[in-house]
């Protein structure tokens, strides 16, 4: 089309839009010549199930691929097959109409289509954004069930279903853009189903009980990108995480599970691409069955699936479970101004929650859209995806981002919602680890403590109480007592157990542990958003100086605070979660929202282990985890009762003031810098695998957040006769061995800002 003709076409469409914004010119072409005649491809009826592209042997022993796509309101569907790139001619696209329609599923079997074939869909239907209809066959769509994705998402104007630069921006999303998006979007890849592979059948899941779990939150790329023991070509990949050098560190620490930041195929937001940045964390999913292609060392023609499986097998062989952080609450298509990549173009009204003004989206996620999980086909998409990752990819559980959004029925969060009900009865999913991020950004979205049995939850009340105590800002110690002992006030209902609480001090979102004691204010300037992004509620203390310093006094205090926080976390009842690199002093320079920092700001700096101070923190972390594994009193399967179970008055849990007296009601409601927690190993409920009573050592943990030393009187009978120091965070960096013994009743000197853990030895 000549420039003059193109200008006229745009002017004509503009004139129509001014009369009725929902109207379009159906034959307007904005990017070149009309579509040429296409070659024909034989297509047999195939089957509507399973959904997606499944390679199999069809009728008469002919091999090919069955394609099935749910597109409820569509008028027609074209399967698009892409050939090799021809020099100077671009990709060869062959369009195959799917004429079979069963229960709103368009399907067909295409003989001869083999694994490695790249494909997508074009879906035809009405364009009327005012009623939520956004079909646009000019946009190539990713199959929601694609098991692998080849290529990356770029976001030029052609990828949008509407004309982005329409002069009247307030209605720009209502003007259809008929330019072809195929050259600018990745394609699905047909993958061979190799679940019968002998090597995979030899896999042994660790099946670590919840109470025995220690979770390690990991970014596949960030953990491996700078690791000197991993070959350079494998760094930043699934294969890199499977490398013995990476696994050696995990085993040495003693963690039982890695929780991988999102590994579903995701896309980068337009505002980041325009700034030359990328979405590093990956909370922008677009393919719920496909391992993110950017983390594959072996290529993206489907081989990333096998690479991911080999990573899982390697971690399992080391006794480490794999938990995926999954984002089913929204997709990368954003709000009505976002790109048309998959679900929006398949059936916008069927997949997304729309407002009464159906042109706009209901947003409980802060990301522009919310999946309509109440719809049966959306619920099926999510549960099919979950089962696939368990049964065919070998993963052991999931952490659900903004899980409250998934638990909403029509509007309110509902713990009897279809999503939670389906999970509870599913024979596959109810057996794996399920972790909720128990909130979303909508009204009534904060649901900590409300999820039903089977679920554990990220406990941000634990995070807040521990941070406040160690920075000297806790108004009273009542909340801290609950958090250290398993948060019974939140979880002691409906048969839930202490391991319903995933305890954490830091997570990917926020300061690292080192930054928590080095900065009080966020420093997110590198994100390019004027330091407006990221939370201002950090509950951090910089130990007297903001940011990096050479003041040895400040540095020593910061390292002690790190030991205090790590020790508190690993001595608390519940499931501890560490963030990769916190154990060796990783810093993000005060950036508390490094979601777009795919660089040294976010990557784990393994050279820190060359510093004796950071190496000492790593060794302490490993020793605390080993102590936890060895002592069941530190990982109880039932809540404490606080009652005496014997004539001598010894209770399973007791709290002490610095004076050695048991805390009174008044003590709980007063600010205090010192707290003693006694854990009895004599009164552990339950029995071991052979039916014998569980008996362990007893411990007294003294937490002192004051800046000056304090005296602490060690409780006498019936609690103990003698105590032995196991951990003293004021002495760890000096390498002084524990083991000093004290008699009950003695007054010990606890240095300022320290944790002293004592074992009862008589």
């Amino acid at each position: 089309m000549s420039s003059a003709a193109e200008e006229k076409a745009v002017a004509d469409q503009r004139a129509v839009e001014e009369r009725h914004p929902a109207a379009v010119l159906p034959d307007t072409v904005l990017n070149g010549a009309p579509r040429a005649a296409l070659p024909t491809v034989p297509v047999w009826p195939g089957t509507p199930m399973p959904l997606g592209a499944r390679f199999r042997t069809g009728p008469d022993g002919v091999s090919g691929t069955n394609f099935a796509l749910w597109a409820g309101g569509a008028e027609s569907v074209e399967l698009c097959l892409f050939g090799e790139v021809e020099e100077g001619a671009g990709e060869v696209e062959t369009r195959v109409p799917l004429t079979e329609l069963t229960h709103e599923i368009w399907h067909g079997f295409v003989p001869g289509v083999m694994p490695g074939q790249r494909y997508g869909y074009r879906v035809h239907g009405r364009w009327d954004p005012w009623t939520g209809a956004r079909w646009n066959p000019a946009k190539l769509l990713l199959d929601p069930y694609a098991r692998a994705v080849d290529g990356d998402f770029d976001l030029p104007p052609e990828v949008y279903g509407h004309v982005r630069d329409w002069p009247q921006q307030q209605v720009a999303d209502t003007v259809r853009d008929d330019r072809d998006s195929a050259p600018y979007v990745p394609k699905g890849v047909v993958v061979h189903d190799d679940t019968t592979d002998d090597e995979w059948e030899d896999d042994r899941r660790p099946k670590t009980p919840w109470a025995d779990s220690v979770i390690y939150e990991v970014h596949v790329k960030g953990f491996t990108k700078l690791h000197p023991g991993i070959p350079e070509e494998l760094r930043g990949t699934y294969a890199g995480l499977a490398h013995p050098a990476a696994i050696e560190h995990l085993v040495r620490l003693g963690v039982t599970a890695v929780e991988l930041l999102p590994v579903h195929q995701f896309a980068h937001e337009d505002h980041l691409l325009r700034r030359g940045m990328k979405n590093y964390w990956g909370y922008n999913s677009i393919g719920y069955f496909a391992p993110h292609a950017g983390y594959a060392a072996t290529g993206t023609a489907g081989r990333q699936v096998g690479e991911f499986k080999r990573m899982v097998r390697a971690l399992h062989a080391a006794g480490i479970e794999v938990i995926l952080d999954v984002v089913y609450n929204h997709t990368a298509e954003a709000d009505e101004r976002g790109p048309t990549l998959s679900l929006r173009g398949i059936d916008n009204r069927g997949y997304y929650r729309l407002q009464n003004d159906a042109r706009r989206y209901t947003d409980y996620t802060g990301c522009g859209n919310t999946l309509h999980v109440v719809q049966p086909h959306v619920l099926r998409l999510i549960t099919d995806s979950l089962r696939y990752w368990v049964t065919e990819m070998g993963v052991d559980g999931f952490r659900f981002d903004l899980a409250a959004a998934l638990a909403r029925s029509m509007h309110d969060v509902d713990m009897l919602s279809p999503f939670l009900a389906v999970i509870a009865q599913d024979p596959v999913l109810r057996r794996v680890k399920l972790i909720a991020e128990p909130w979303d950004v909508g009204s009534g979205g904060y649901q900590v403590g409300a999820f039903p049995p089977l679920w554990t939850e990220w406990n941000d009340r634990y995070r807040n109480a521990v941070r406040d105590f160690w920075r000297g800002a806790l108004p009273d110690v009542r909340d801290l007592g609950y958090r250290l002992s398993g948060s019974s006030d939140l979880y002691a209902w409906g048969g839930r157990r202490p391991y319903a609480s995933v305890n954490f001090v830091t997570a990917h979102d926020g300061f690292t542990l080192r930054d928590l004691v080095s900065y009080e204010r966020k420093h997110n300037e590198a994100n390019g958003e004027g330091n407006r992004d990221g939370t201002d509620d950090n509950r951090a203390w910089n130990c007297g100086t903001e940011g990096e310093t050479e003041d040895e006094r400040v540095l020593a205090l910061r390292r002690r605070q790190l030991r205090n926080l790590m020790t508190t976390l690993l001595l608390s009842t519940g499931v501890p979660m560490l963030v990769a690199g916190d154990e060796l002093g990783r810093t993000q320079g005060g950036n508390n929202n490094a979601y777009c920092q795919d660089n040294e700001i976010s990557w784990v700096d393994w050279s820190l282990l060359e510093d004796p101070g950071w190496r000492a923190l790593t060794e302490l972390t490993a020793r605390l985890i080993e102590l936890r594994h060895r002592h069941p009193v530190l990982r109880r399967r039932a809540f404490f009762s606080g009652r005496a179970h014997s004539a001598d008055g010894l209770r399973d849990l007791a709290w002490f003031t610095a004076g050695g007296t048991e805390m009174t009601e008044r003590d709980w409601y007063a600010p205090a810098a010192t707290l003693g927690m006694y854990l009895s190993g004599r009164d552990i409920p339950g029995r071991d695998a052979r039916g014998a009573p569980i008996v362990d050592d007893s411990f007294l943990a003294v937490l002192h957040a004051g800046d000056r030393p304090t005296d602490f009187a060690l409780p006498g009978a019936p609690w103990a006769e003698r105590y032995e120091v196991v951990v003293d965070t004021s002495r760890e960096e000096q390498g002084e061995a524990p083991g000093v013994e004290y008699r009950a009743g003695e007054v010990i000197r606890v240095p300022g800002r320290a944790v002293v853990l004592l074992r009862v030895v008589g």
Side-chain angles (χ1 to χ4, degrees), residues 259-319:
E259 182 178 301
L260 304 182
L261 267 68
V263 295
H264 288 166
Q265 185 70 39
F266 61 86
H268 307 293
E269 294 90 332
D270 178 72
H271 71 93
L272 292 177
L273 293 173
R274 283 188 276 111
R275 296 204 302 267
M277 308 174 86
K278 293 183 177 180
N279 186 319
Y280 170 69
W281 288 347
Y283 291 90
N284 208 37
S285 298
I286 197 62
Y288 290 130
F289 290 76
H292 185 63
Y295 300 152
T298 52
T300 62
R303 291 184 291 272
Q304 61 265 49
V305 177
E307 183 178 336
F308 185 93
K309 291 181 179 181
R310 288 189 291 274
M311 176 196 71
V312 172
R313 287 196 290 266
L315 289 163
H316 282 178

Side-chain angles (χ1 to χ4, degrees), residues 110 200 279 297 339 370 483 523 525 574 589 658 687 737:
V110 185
W200 185 245
N279 186 319
T370 306
R483 303 310 144 231
H523 295 268
E525 291 80 6
R687 297 177 180 272

Side-chain angles (χ1 to χ4, degrees), residues 352-374:
Y352 292 116
R353 289 180 180 265
L354 303 180
Q355 298 180 18
N356 291 333
D357 170 11
R359 173 186 163 196
R360 306 190 188 281
Y361 296 79
T362 301
D363 183 10
Y364 294 123
T365 67
C367 300
N369 64 57
T370 306
L371 280 180
H372 203 352
V373 181
V374 174

Side-chain angles (χ1 to χ4, degrees), residues 131-210:
T131 62
R134 292 181 179 270
W135 284 284
N136 186 342
K139 308 307 165 184
L140 185 76
L141 306 175
L142 183 68
D143 179 4
Y145 280 74
R147 295 190 174 193
V149 176
D150 180 52
D152 202 358
F153 287 94
D154 196 3
L155 297 179
E158 290 84 353
V159 173
Y160 292 76
H162 62 281
V163 181
R164 292 192 66 200
D165 56 354
W166 191 255
Q168 297 170 296
Q169 278 295 299
Q170 67 273 20
V171 293
D173 67 284
T174 68
V175 184
R176 196 178 73 184
D177 186 330
D178 290 327
R179 289 176 288 187
D180 185 10
S181 70
Y184 310 101
V185 294
K187 282 74 180 175
V189 180
V190 176
V191 174
H192 194 285
D193 185 354
D194 62 352
T195 55
T196 59
D197 177 43
D198 290 341
E199 185 181 6
W200 185 245
E201 289 183 350
D202 290 340
D203 177 68
R204 295 293 180 267
R205 295 176 185 263
K207 296 182 179 180
T208 306
W210 257 128

Side-chain angles (χ1 to χ4, degrees), residues 219 221-226 280 586-588 597-606:
H219 189 286
K221 183 174 184 179
F223 185 73
T224 60
K225 185 63 176 177
L226 300 178
Y280 170 69
R586 184 176 74 91
T587 177
Q588 293 179 169
Q597 297 299 329
D598 187 3
N599 51 48
E600 288 83 355
I601 291 175
S602 296
W603 302 338
V604 174
D605 179 5
W606 294 95

Side-chain angles (χ1 to χ4, degrees), residues 448-457 490-501 637 639:
V448 172
F451 275 72
L454 288 183
W455 289 81
T456 66
E457 302 175 18
L490 299 175
Y491 302 112
W493 64 272
R496 303 187 81 184
R497 299 298 184 91
Y499 46 77
S501 176
R637 289 165 165 76
F639 287 106

Side-chain angles (χ1 to χ4, degrees), residues 368-480:
N369 64 57
T370 306
L371 280 180
H372 203 352
V373 181
V374 174
Q375 296 282 6
H377 49 274
V378 180
L379 186 57
R380 180 171 61 188
L381 170 67
I382 295 172
T383 53
D384 283 353
S385 168
L386 292 169
R387 282 189 292 268
Y388 171 75
W389 286 96
V390 173
T391 60
E392 299 195 39
M393 302 295 273
V395 306
D396 305 285
F398 306 93
R399 179 265 187 189
F400 292 82
D401 180 65
L402 300 182
L406 299 173
R408 290 183 181 269
S409 290
M410 295 313 295
H411 299 288
D412 296 333
V413 178
D414 178 6
M415 292 306 160
L416 297 176
S417 66
F419 172 74
L420 294 178
V422 167
I423 296 292
Q425 61 78 44
D426 189 284
V428 172
L429 302 180
R430 69 189 182 199
R431 298 178 183 274
V432 301
K433 288 183 165 66
L434 303 171
I435 306 171
E437 183 183 35
W439 51 77
D440 64 24
V441 303
S443 175
Y446 186 76
Q447 295 289 324
V448 172
F451 275 72
L454 288 183
W455 289 81
T456 66
E457 302 175 18
W458 272 26
N459 188 352
D460 67 330
R461 290 185 60 178
Y462 178 94
R463 175 198 65 195
N464 295 346
V466 170
R467 288 187 179 192
D468 282 346
F469 177 74
W470 284 111
R471 72 188 179 108
L474 200 63
D476 59 60
V477 290
R478 183 170 57 105
D479 196 42
L480 181 67

